[in-house]
Amino acid sequence: MSIIMKVREQDGSRVVTLPSELLDSIGAGVGTALALEVKDGAIVAVPVHEPAARKSRRYTLAELLVGAEHLPEIYEGVAGSLDGNPVGRELG
């Protein structure tokens, strides 16, 4: 299979969009990690089959703030930032 794609610039990076048919042919879908290397002047992409990802854990606000009471001792710019009530979707 030979497909010609142009390299374009996006936010200062060079970008090539890979068509679904091309990725399907190597068993790569959305979220698949690709190992990239150059062989004989060609870019070779090989899917990396990573172990099943663990479900990300949601931490409570108390868990996130363990040890935070010592921050003002380290950096005085955060003094008072732990005072007050939660202001977002923090879990108690």
Side-chain angles (χ1 to χ4, degrees), residues 42-53:
I43 298 172
V44 178
V46 178
V48 176
H49 299 288
E50 300 171 335

Side-chain angles (χ1 to χ4, degrees), residues 1-3 18-29 34 45-47:
M1 171 186 305
S2 181
I3 299 172
L18 302 176
S20 297
E21 304 82 35
L22 185 67
L23 291 170
D24 290 345
S25 71
I26 64 169
L34 296 174
V46 178

Side-chain angles (χ1 to χ4, degrees), residues 54-83:
R54 296 184 326 195
K55 183 178 178 186
S56 62
R57 181 173 183 264
R58 292 209 40 160
Y59 292 89
T60 65
L61 181 58
E63 289 172 315
L64 293 171
L65 292 177
V66 168
E69 65 274 7
H70 301 292
L71 285 176
E73 301 164 18
I74 300 168
Y75 179 65
E76 66 184 47
V78 298
S81 60
L82 299 177
D83 302 334

Side-chain angles (χ1 to χ4, degrees), residues 3-50:
I3 299 172
I4 297 175
M5 302 296 297
K6 285 191 176 186
V7 177
R8 66 182 192 284
E9 189 168 328
Q10 181 176 332
D11 298 326
S13 296
R14 295 177 197 156
V15 178
V16 175
T17 301
L18 302 176
S20 297
E21 304 82 35
L22 185 67
L23 291 170
D24 290 345
S25 71
I26 64 169
V30 173
T32 300
L34 296 174
L36 302 174
E37 63 180 295
V38 177
K39 283 189 180 176
D40 299 322
I43 298 172
V44 178
V46 178
V48 176
H49 299 288
E50 300 171 335

